[in-house]
């Protein structure tokens, strides 16, 4: 039987309602109106979940991609560099370019570009077209994420805006726990192209929810280049975003190519998925811990402990990779991976709290700048990791990454001292 467009729309609406109830933790007897304020934000979170999965799952797919396309692991790693660089540069440019476009339409266009990039990756016959697909994904993601956060603020009551933004950004955190290990498993068990198909399906589901659930004519809140430059001239903001960049360089130098040294010590593709799951769970714990400690101890002490712990974990990871035994002893490598996840991701919420305190009247701009420099760091880290693999041993990735994180800690200490001198 052919279903008419009206019936089809009704069926889609019904499915969306059931998915939203599940996401909100509601029972089947609960009316959909009771979840009306949460529903749009749930679909925004699904969008960031798809983006987070795509951004980080590439680390688990690099061996399969390099083998299938006949390229080296360092060359395949430049897929991360291209994505991150396109995000870092494209996000602020696209935000200003689409400033006068309806927020819902801008978000739909961003998700469409992101989905198209994943579909292009599925059929890409070679490395260059796959690289182009990653750039297209990054441009879509770079417009989608800040737009989603802005919409979450616009459609939420003042007393619920913090929770709405937290729900949207939690999509990325949840992606490290669920999306990345799942995508890695699918890519290694079926084909790496299937992972891009999975991400495209998630993006398409988010797009349907956005189109049917978000209101139109939402206010535009994107800052101009002049506004961004004004915030960037603040000395403490400069120190903060430089610290974020060095943290990101250190993390992605190792994370991008983590599967390479793990496979050399005997990890199977399933074991690599397990390692990414361990990292993702630790990252989720670290994210919550960082926010808690920032409230209790203050952002700067929390960041200092996070950066120190992350640097030590990465150095210990290098040491563990060099001495890992071929038997069950190799799984001891997961201990520094777990410590790295907790320490590394406890930094980010503390940094966000720090930036809000520095520029409370322009917090959105400061956080946007921080995100751009984070992805710039991701791009540099992907390139630096490729250089390490080409000139040294895979086990050396950890201490190189730890050195960058240590430099970030030094910048943080310098910022703290300057702020103390100003107060005195």
């Amino acid at each position: 039987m052919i279903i008419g467009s009206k019936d089809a729309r009704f069926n889609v609406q019904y499915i969306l309602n059931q998915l939203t109830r599940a996401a909100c933790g509601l029972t089947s007897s609960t009316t959909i109106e009771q979840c009306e304020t949460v529903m749009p934000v749930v679909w925004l979170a699904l969008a960031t979940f798809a983006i987070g999965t795509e951004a980080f799952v590439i680390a688990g797919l690099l061996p399969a991609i390099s083998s299938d396309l006949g390229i080296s692991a360092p060359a395949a790693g430049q897929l991360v560099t291209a994505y991150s660089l396109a995000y870092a540069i494209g996000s602020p440019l696209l935000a200003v370019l689409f400033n006068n476009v309806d927020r819902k339409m801008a978000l739909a266009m961003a998700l469409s570009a992101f989905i198209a990039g994943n579909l292009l990756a599925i059929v890409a016959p070679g490395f260059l077209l796959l690289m182009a697909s990653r750039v297209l994904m990054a441009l879509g993601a770079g417009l989608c994420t800040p737009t989603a956060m802005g919409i979450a603020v616009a459609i939420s009551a003042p007393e619920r805006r913090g929770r709405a933004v937290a729900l949207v950004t939690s999509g990325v955190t949840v992606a490290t726990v669920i999306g990345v290990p799942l995508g890695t498993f699918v890519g290694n068990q079926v084909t790496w192209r299937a992972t891009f198909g999975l991400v495209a399906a998630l993006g398409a589901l988010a797009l349907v929810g956005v189109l049917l659930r978000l209101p139109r004519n939402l206010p535009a809140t994107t800052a101009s280049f002049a506004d961004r430059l004004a915030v960037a001239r603040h000395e403490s903001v400069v120190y903060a975003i430089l610290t974020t960049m060095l943290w990101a360089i250190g993390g992605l130098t190792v994370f991008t190519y983590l599967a390479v040294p793990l496979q050399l010590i005997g990890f199977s593709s399933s074991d690599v998925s397990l390692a990414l799951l361990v990292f993702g769970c630790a990252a989720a714990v670290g994210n919550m811990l960082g926010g808690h400690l920032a409230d209790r101890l203050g952002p700067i002490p929390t960041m200092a402990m996070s950066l120190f712990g992350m640097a030590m974990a990465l150095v210990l990871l290098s040491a563990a990779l060099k001495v890992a035994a071929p038997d069950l002893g190799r799984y001891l490598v997961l201990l520094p991976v777990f410590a790295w996840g907790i320490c590394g991701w406890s930094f980010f919420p503390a940094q966000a709290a720090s930036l809000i305190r520095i520029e409370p009247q322009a917090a959105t701009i400061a956080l946007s700048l921080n995100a751009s420099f984070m992805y710039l760091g991701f791009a540099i880290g992907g390139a630096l990791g490729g250089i390490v693999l080409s000139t040294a041993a895979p086990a050396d990735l950890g201490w190189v990454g730890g050195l960058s994180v240590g430099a970030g800690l030094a910048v943080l200490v310098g910022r703290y001292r300057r702020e103390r001198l100003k107060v005195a």
Side-chain angles (χ1 to χ4, degrees):
M1 182 177 66
I2 299 175
I3 299 176
S5 59
K6 183 177 180 180
D7 291 334
R9 179 179 174 83
F10 172 79
N11 290 334
V12 171
Q13 292 278 12
Y14 176 79
I15 293 171
L16 290 177
N17 290 348
Q18 299 307 311
L19 288 172
T20 302
R21 286 194 181 100
C24 296
L26 301 175
T27 65
S28 59
S29 61
T30 306
T31 61
I32 200 64
E33 287 76 13
Q34 289 175 285
C35 199
E36 194 68 36
T37 58
V38 181
M39 288 166 59
V41 184
V42 170
W43 298 108
L44 296 176
L46 179 59
T48 59
F49 173 79
I51 288 171
T53 299
E54 202 287 323
F56 296 114
V57 77
I58 195 74
L61 301 179
L62 280 187
I65 292 175
S66 61
S67 175
D68 185 39
L69 299 183
I71 58 177
S72 66
Q78 301 320 299
L79 294 171
V80 174
T81 301
Y83 180 96
S84 301
L85 196 59
Y87 190 110
I89 298 174
S91 183
L93 293 176
L94 291 173
V96 175
L97 181 64
F98 286 86
N99 186 39
N100 295 322
V101 178
D102 177 74
R103 297 293 86 195
K104 178 177 178 178
M105 181 60 64
L107 186 62
M109 294 172 63
L111 275 172
S112 297
F114 177 75
I115 295 167
N118 279 277
L119 294 177
L120 181 60
I122 296 174
V123 300
F127 179 70
L128 290 180
L129 193 56
L130 183 59
M131 177 84 75
S133 74
R134 290 279 290 171
V135 171
L136 181 57
M137 294 176 213
L139 294 177
L143 178 60
C144 179
T145 302
T147 302
M149 293 179 66
I151 290 176
V153 171
I155 64 179
S156 301
E159 68 275 9
R160 296 188 62 86
R161 286 175 179 170
R163 280 170 286 183
V165 171
L167 179 56
V168 173
T169 56
S170 71
V172 177
T173 306
V174 175
T176 64
V177 181
I178 300 175
V180 173
L182 176 61
T184 301
F185 179 80
V186 170
N188 287 317
Q189 295 300 316
V190 185
T191 171
W192 59 267
R193 298 178 190 272
T195 300
F196 288 107
L198 174 64
V199 174
L202 290 171
L205 182 58
L207 177 60
V208 172
V210 164
L211 291 174
L212 295 182
R213 293 303 185 198
L214 288 186
R216 285 189 173 273
N217 301 318
L218 294 167
T221 57
T222 303
S224 66
F225 279 117
D227 295 330
R228 293 173 184 269
L229 289 175
V231 174
R233 283 195 291 266
H234 194 296
E235 185 178 67
S236 292
V237 173
V238 173
Y239 274 93
I241 60 179
L242 180 58
T243 302
T244 294
M245 185 178 73
L246 290 168
W247 163 80
I249 291 172
L252 263 290
T253 295
V254 185
F255 187 82
T256 303
Y257 304 97
L258 182 60
V260 177
L262 290 181
Q263 289 186 342
L264 288 178
I265 62 171
F267 273 54
S268 66
S269 58
S270 297
D271 292 333
V272 172
S273 297
L274 173 63
L276 293 176
L277 176 61
V278 168
F279 180 85
C281 291
V285 172
N287 189 60
M288 293 185 291
L289 181 63
H292 177 73
L293 291 178
D295 290 337
R296 292 290 298 274
L297 304 178
I300 290 184
T302 300
M303 286 188 289
M305 291 189 297
S306 300
L307 292 172
F308 178 80
M310 180 179 173
M312 291 299 98
L314 291 176
V315 171
L316 288 174
L317 177 61
S318 267
L321 288 170
K322 288 181 179 295
V323 300
D327 56 9
L328 292 178
R330 67 179 183 273
Y331 291 106
L332 292 176
V333 169
L334 297 179
L335 293 177
V337 168
F338 186 78
W340 165 25
I342 288 183
C343 295
W345 281 95
S346 62
F347 166 84
F348 197 75
Q351 179 70 294
S354 170
L355 286 165
I356 291 172
R357 292 188 184 187
I358 295 171
E359 287 285 357
Q361 303 303 318
T364 302
I365 303 174
L367 291 173
S368 176
L369 285 170
N370 189 60
S372 290
F373 273 80
M374 177 179 71
Y375 273 91
L376 178 60
F378 288 167
I380 297 172
L384 179 60
I387 293 173
V388 173
L389 284 186
S390 299
T391 59
D396 293 321
L397 289 167
W399 70 261
V400 174
L403 188 62
S404 177
V405 176
L409 177 59
V411 173
L412 178 67
V413 171
R415 168 188 162 189
Y416 174 73
R417 289 179 176 175
R418 292 184 72 87
E419 290 179 354
R420 286 292 298 271
L421 288 174
K422 287 184 178 181
V423 173

